[in-house]
Amino acid sequence: MSLPAVSVDASNSPSYAHDWALVDVETSGLIPRQHRVLSIAVVTVDADGTQSDEFSTLLNPGCDPGPVRVHGLTAGRLRGAPRFEQIVERVAPMLRNRVFVAHNAQFDYDFLAHEFARARSWLPVSQRLCTLALNRQMDPPTNDLRLGTLAAHYGIRQLRAHEALDDTRVLAGMFKGSLQEAARLGVPLPLVACPPRQDAQFVPQPPKTPCEFTNPGRLSPAGLLTQGMKVAVTGDTSASRPELVARAVAAGLNVMTSVSRHTSVLVTNDQRSDSAKALRARAEGVPVIDESTFLRLLEEVQPGTRHDQQAAVGPARQEPTPAPPGEEHAPVPAASVSEEARRRPTGAGELGTQDRPLAGRRVLILGGTHPTAAAARARVVEMGGAAAINFSAGVTDVVSLAGGDADRRMRRIAALNVPTHGSDWLKAPVVESVSGARFRRSPLVLPRGGVVDLPYPFSMPFWTVTGSWARQDTCEVDLVAFILDEDDQVSRDENFVFYGAPESPDGTVRLLSDGPSEQTIVSSLPALPPAARKVVIAAAIDGAATFGDVGAVQVTTGPSSSAAPLAQAVLDAATTERTMILAEIYRRGPLWRFRAVGQGYGHGLHGLAEQFGVDVAD
């Protein structure tokens, strides 16, 4: 079966013209290192917009095909299909020297990277483009950014959702419309560089056995060990390190890879050690014992308090319902909002009310110094609006501060007749009605420090936090995440998720690179171990620039990157700082809450990681 002819014409816009490889895969699950590709479709389109090749096939994964109710691919249908290694030589040339295009592109890219590695080959892709990220930048007037929703918006008919062949046809049509809209708005393409993955060395390490007990504090002189105590070991030991750790874990202790003020005891046979752990222990006053004492105390460890005993009484924890591959979402139940964050924008019929004149509007601030621009954005939120940081189809108004007229986007804004105002407009704004084509209900707008309760019980397996910023020419901005315990410390260094280690060992927290000005942290909250009390999301600048140079960072949160966001915040309090905590998702009894933080720090990522107990020196 062949695909209908595909045309992606960008010849009139040279900066949008590339050789493309449009890809869709159906998979047996959601985790690339565990699950397999069941079918693949690839369409190649040249820079002049003409289709040059196509290929699609079912694949025999050699395992359970997973959620058949989603993709319809039974073991019987897949029996007799080729294995992935048998099609590598057909697919690889189609991808080479082309931009890899998919909706939620990192999902498809990661699955193919693993399949190529299993076939003892490598994925020949140097750049990828995510149509989800591109449309998020353009902010079309749709209720969500799912493939089917965007296809309908661009006039493309979807016949068989979650069938690779039809999804690729739909993707091609939607991509054509997206490129045309990007050219109209002047939105740069969010191309992501993809270093070759030649083997499976990027597969995360096996997860550490989580400690079931809360930290009771430090070991007292002549005291006994208690389950949940945080123990660190440094230097040479008589017993092998793995054996020592295994005995401590079996006794209910929490063995850490670093030392902090929350460490209960450090074990070392060299009381004068100058290791990073020993120096930190002396600085923090952490008790130090030798190996023989530790082994003796291990014989009589006192019972501790389990995490589930300490949690507030509430509904039983619910296992997540598996979602279709590439669509990690479900309809979001209504969320409860704390009193400090009841700032929900109102509907179209309520625009122009006296106390919230900017309700339902999205206002872009151009020009001005960082403090004056930050104050203007705060004023927008105060009057019920949402502050934009990039120009998109969703922007209803533009405010030009000093120097704003020189912004390169002003020509495009004027050509599209977007209402533009001076700074005085924010004192008493007079607004025009928003056309139905441009209006849709906005997510909850949170101020700095605002809190919202996440839906419970969880009917979706993942929760996302996306950070976006203005495109930078002189520096790079990176999102990172820390999985913290009740002491606001990582339980192991691998619970620090960043560009060099983009996934926690158990796969519950992942970093997705959606483009040069946008990244996403995805957390499987129901699957986090009971000891994990908080996921902190931060941004760090690589280089000498500060957040005063970068400008505001927008944070959105929702059940998936393609679903409608629950809440958003624009954070711009940082000026001379180089790292900033953007948000945190934390437990409150049986519930989870999201907080917009916006706290900046003068030190770099190294200092922030150490603050949360990551042993950077080692």
Side-chain angles (χ1 to χ4, degrees), residues 12 30 33 49 66 73 101 126 156 173 215 242 244 276 287 290 319 347 356 368 375 396 407 444 495 505 520 576 586:
N12 294 327
L30 301 176
R33 71 175 186 274
L73 300 177
V101 180
S126 59
I156 308 301
N215 183 11
L244 204 61
D290 59 25
E319 291 300 317
R356 299 170 62 80
T396 60
D407 191 288
L444 175 69
N495 281 352
T520 298
T576 61
Y586 62 97

Side-chain angles (χ1 to χ4, degrees), residues 6-13 16-17 20 45-50 175-176 179-180:
V6 173
S7 172
V8 181
D9 187 6
S11 57
N12 294 327
S13 304
Y16 299 90
W20 313 101
V45 178
D46 295 338
D48 62 2
T50 60
F175 183 44
K176 176 181 178 180
L179 286 179
Q180 292 171 344

Side-chain angles (χ1 to χ4, degrees), residues 214-511:
T214 63
N215 183 11
R218 291 180 175 175
L219 177 68
S220 59
L224 297 175
L225 293 171
T226 302
Q227 289 176 323
M229 280 187 169
K230 293 186 173 182
V231 178
V233 182
T234 188
D236 295 331
T237 53
S238 298
S240 69
R241 182 70 65 85
E243 177 187 352
L244 204 61
V245 169
R247 292 184 59 179
V249 169
L253 301 178
N254 193 357
V255 180
M256 310 294 290
T257 57
S258 60
V259 171
S260 73
R261 66 183 185 279
H262 302 288
T263 303
S264 304
V265 62
L266 175 68
V267 179
T268 179
N269 289 325
D270 182 3
Q271 297 292 325
R272 298 181 179 180
S273 171
D274 59 358
S275 71
K277 293 177 184 177
L279 293 174
R280 182 71 184 273
R282 287 196 285 269
E284 297 289 352
V286 173
V288 179
I289 60 176
D290 59 25
E291 181 184 1
S292 61
T293 302
F294 181 62
L295 291 173
R296 177 175 54 81
L297 294 176
L298 276 179
E299 300 296 328
E300 192 178 356
V301 176
Q302 301 300 296
T305 302
R306 294 182 180 272
H307 289 287
D308 53 6
Q309 292 175 322
Q310 190 182 56
V313 177
R317 188 169 161 184
Q318 178 172 316
E319 291 300 317
T321 301
E327 294 282 349
E328 304 100 318
H329 61 264
V332 187
S336 60
V337 185
S338 65
E339 288 299 326
E340 61 187 304
R342 292 186 182 276
R343 309 174 67 95
R344 179 175 292 280
T346 51
E350 300 169 295
L351 293 179
T353 56
Q354 184 175 358
D355 57 338
R356 299 170 62 80
L358 297 183
R361 306 189 80 88
R362 192 167 181 80
V363 183
L364 175 64
I365 307 296
L366 296 181
T369 63
H370 183 79
T372 59
R377 284 187 285 265
R379 176 65 175 159
V380 169
V381 173
E382 180 184 320
M383 292 188 291
I389 61 171
N390 287 305
F391 181 60
S392 70
V395 170
T396 60
D397 300 89
V398 174
V399 172
S400 179
L401 304 180
D405 291 343
D407 191 288
R408 59 178 177 79
R409 292 168 288 185
M410 282 299 296
R411 180 178 299 179
R412 185 81 55 175
I413 290 167
L416 296 174
N417 296 316
V418 179
T420 303
H421 318 279
S423 58
D424 289 344
W425 181 76
L426 289 175
K427 298 177 181 177
V430 177
V431 299
E432 302 174 2
S433 61
V434 182
S435 67
R438 293 172 62 196
F439 176 82
R440 70 283 211 188
R441 193 168 184 84
S442 300
L444 175 69
V445 177
L446 295 177
R448 184 184 179 203
V451 176
V452 60
D453 291 336
L454 302 188
Y456 187 93
F458 284 102
S459 57
M460 67 291 294
F462 299 102
W463 197 265
T464 67
V465 177
T466 297
S468 55
W469 45 87
R471 188 169 291 222
Q472 304 298 307
D473 296 326
T474 59
C475 66
E476 293 183 359
V477 181
D478 296 301
L479 245 58
V480 300
F482 301 90
I483 307 170
L484 305 181
D485 61 16
E486 71 272 12
D487 296 321
D488 277 351
Q489 299 286 292
V490 297
S491 63
R492 62 182 304 192
D493 291 343
E494 290 78 9
N495 281 352
F496 169 36
V497 176
F498 65 110
Y499 57 89
E503 184 174 346
S504 62
D506 57 6
T508 55
V509 177
R510 291 178 288 151
L511 168 66

Side-chain angles (χ1 to χ4, degrees), residues 523-599:
S523 303
S524 179
L525 300 180
L528 284 170
R533 313 303 295 175
K534 183 185 297 183
V535 178
V536 170
I537 297 94
I541 297 174
D542 183 14
T546 68
F547 278 102
D549 303 313
V550 170
V553 177
Q554 178 177 281
V555 177
T556 58
T557 186
S560 84
S561 52
S562 62
L566 170 70
Q568 69 178 47
V570 172
L571 305 171
D572 50 16
T575 54
T576 61
E577 295 87 347
R578 296 176 53 230
T579 56
M580 178 167 56
I581 295 179
L582 301 178
E584 58 186 23
I585 300 177
Y586 62 97
R587 293 185 195 264
R588 178 59 59 90
L591 303 177
W592 286 91
R593 281 182 153 186
F594 172 86
R595 187 198 313 275
V597 180
Q599 175 65 54

Side-chain angles (χ1 to χ4, degrees), residues 17-32:
H18 295 269
D19 291 327
W20 313 101
L22 283 68
V23 180
D24 186 77
V25 299
E26 296 300 320
T27 63
S28 64
L30 301 176
I31 303 176

